[in-house]
Amino acid sequence: MAKLGRNDACWCGSGKKYKACHEEFDRKIEYYKNLGHLVPSHRLIKTPEQIAKIKEACKVNVEILDTVAEKICIGMSTEDINTIVNEVTYRNNAIPAPLNYEGFPKSVCTSINDAVCHGIPDENEILMDGDIINVDVSTILDGYFADSSRMFLMGNVSEEDRKLVEVTKEAMLKGLEQVKPWTFLGDMGQAVNDHAKAHGYSVVREIGGHGVGLEFHEEPWVSYVSKKGTEMLLVPGMIFTIEPMINMGGPDIFVDEENDWTVYTDDGSKSAQWEIQVLVTEDGHEVLSW
Ligand code: MF3
Ligand code: CO
C-alpha cells in the first residue's frame, strides 16, 4: 500500500486530512510493529459506519438467541432449534452465516455435553433432562457479520456440570476485562486460561476465536492458551470474538469422522463454551453480541 501523504484524505473514510485524523494513530501502531509485535492491518480497524452496520447485525443475532432462550426445552430436537433460528433470521431479512459455510449444512451450531463445538442440528437428536448445550448463532445482515453463543441447562443438570458452565462464563468475562486499546490479545487469553486452570479444567487449544464484521472469520486468530504481552496489538475499532471452549477433563479433541464437523472431547468429558463479540473502544471495550 502506498504511504498516504499528510494532506491526503484519511484511510478511515472520515473525509479529514490524514494528518488531522489517523496519522498519529498509525505511528503508534508502527512503534509496536517495530518492537516485533503483531499489529492489525487497516481492514481490521472498523470505521464508525462499519461499526454501526455490524451493530445492526448483532442486534438480530441477540434477538435470535433470546428467542432460542425463550423456547428451548427438554424433548425438543436440535433441528427444532435450527427452525427457530431460521424463522427469526429471515423475519429480520438476515442470512444465517453458518448455512453452506465451507459446506456446513445447517443454520446454527448445537453442541451437547461432550460435543465441544460445531454440532449439526438433527431431528433425531432430542434434548434430554440434564443436558448442557451450546447454541452458536451467527448472522449476516446487509453484508455485515455477527457471532455469539450461549449455554443452556436442560432441567436437572448436575452440580458438577453447572459449575463447568458457570466457570466457563466467568473465564470469558475475565478475558473480556482485559480488553482495552494498546494492550495485547494474549493478555485476554491468559486471563481465560488462568481462570479455567484454577478450577482444574482445560482449555481447547486448536480452535479459537476470530476477528469478525466484514467477514465471518477475519484476523486475528484468538487463542485462549496465549500469554500476556503476546499476540496481536489491540487498537480502537477492532472487533473479535471471545469464545473459549473449556473441558472438564483433558484438552484433547477429535472431529467426527462421519460429518467432518462436530468436535468432541477425546476423553468424553463435558465441554462448555460461551461466545461474545467485542469492539475495542477508545477507553476499553463494548460487547456487541452475546
Ligand atoms: N459460530 C462458529 C464460530 O464461532 C462458526 C463455526 S463455522 C460453522 O466461529 F460453519 F460451523 F458454522
Ligand atoms: Co465465532
Side-chain angles (χ1 to χ4, degrees):
M1 189 173 48
K3 212 160 187 269
L4 275 183
R6 300 193 64 219
N7 290 312
D8 291 341
C10 188
W11 55 264
C12 78
S14 65
K16 286 195 253 179
K17 287 185 178 175
Y18 184 46
K19 66 182 178 192
C21 198
H22 275 90
E23 188 187 35
E24 197 54 42
F25 180 93
D26 280 350
R27 274 225 193 92
K28 207 165 163 185
I29 292 178
E30 193 72 17
Y31 165 81
Y32 284 100
K33 189 177 172 191
N34 290 336
L35 290 176
H37 289 291
L38 200 57
V39 300
S41 64
H42 286 163
R43 186 173 166 80
L44 302 188
I45 302 166
K46 274 49 180 175
T47 66
E49 293 73 24
Q50 290 170 335
I51 291 168
K53 292 291 224 169
I54 293 164
K55 281 184 175 176
E56 290 302 313
C58 288
K59 264 193 223 158
V60 176
N61 213 59
V62 168
E63 184 183 331
I64 297 165
L65 274 163
D66 284 346
T67 309
V68 170
E70 231 171 74
K71 301 200 166 161
I72 196 167
C73 61
I74 294 166
M76 183 182 259
S77 73
T78 47
E79 177 66 28
D80 293 333
I81 298 173
N82 192 71
T83 303
I84 295 167
V85 169
N86 277 332
E87 268 172 21
V88 184
T89 304
Y90 294 126
R91 195 206 299 146
N92 281 284
N93 299 313
I95 299 166
L99 188 61
N100 302 321
Y101 176 79
E102 291 184 4
F104 192 80
K106 297 284 176 170
S107 299
V108 58
C109 297
T110 49
S111 308
I112 301 177
N113 296 333
D114 62 328
V116 172
C117 64
H118 302 167
I120 301 175
D122 184 335
E123 61 185 349
N124 297 312
E125 186 179 46
I126 307 297
L127 295 178
M128 312 273 269
D129 187 39
D131 281 347
I132 60 170
I133 178 174
N134 174 274
V135 178
D136 190 342
V137 175
S138 318
T139 302
I140 314 172
L141 183 69
D142 205 11
Y144 294 85
F145 289 78
D147 185 11
S148 62
S149 80
R150 301 182 197 165
M151 293 296 297
F152 298 99
L153 303 172
M154 307 313 302
N156 299 299
V157 171
S158 71
E159 205 43 56
E160 196 185 28
D161 292 355
R162 271 177 199 275
K163 195 178 151 217
L164 173 71
V165 171
E166 204 46 42
V167 170
T168 302
K169 189 201 277 182
E170 286 167 12
M172 182 194 70
L173 293 172
K174 295 258 181 199
L176 176 66
E177 267 176 34
Q178 297 296 317
V179 176
K180 35 187 167 302
W182 315 108
T183 66
F184 301 96
L185 209 42
D187 305 4
M188 183 283 297
Q190 172 150 13
V192 170
N193 205 307
D194 286 352
H195 192 67
K197 272 199 182 149
H199 287 271
Y201 300 143
S202 53
V203 177
V204 171
R205 301 155 299 193
E206 296 87 341
I207 313 168
H210 49 94
V212 56
L214 307 185
E215 291 163 58
F216 195 173
H217 295 113
E218 304 173 358
E219 279 193 80
W221 145 258
V222 181
S223 165
Y224 313 99
V225 291
S226 48
K227 291 271 177 271
K228 204 170 162 56
T230 70
E231 306 291 327
M232 195 178 278
L233 174 72
L234 297 180
V235 308
M238 288 172 75
I239 296 178
F240 58 91
T241 67
I242 304 180
E243 51 175 313
M245 283 141 268
I246 297 183
N247 301 345
M248 198 178 291
D252 293 348
I253 55 172
F254 69 93
V255 179
D256 186 311
E257 276 179 18
E258 263 162 51
N259 70 27
D260 233 7
W261 273 105
T262 311
V263 176
Y264 293 95
T265 59
D266 240 353
D267 59 11
S269 71
K270 301 272 170 70
S271 186
Q273 177 182 29
W274 291 85
E275 176 176 21
I276 48 176
Q277 181 169 342
V278 186
L279 165 70
V280 182
T281 60
E282 292 296 331
D283 54 3
H285 58 255
E286 184 182 342
V287 175
L288 303 187
S289 185
W290 187 8

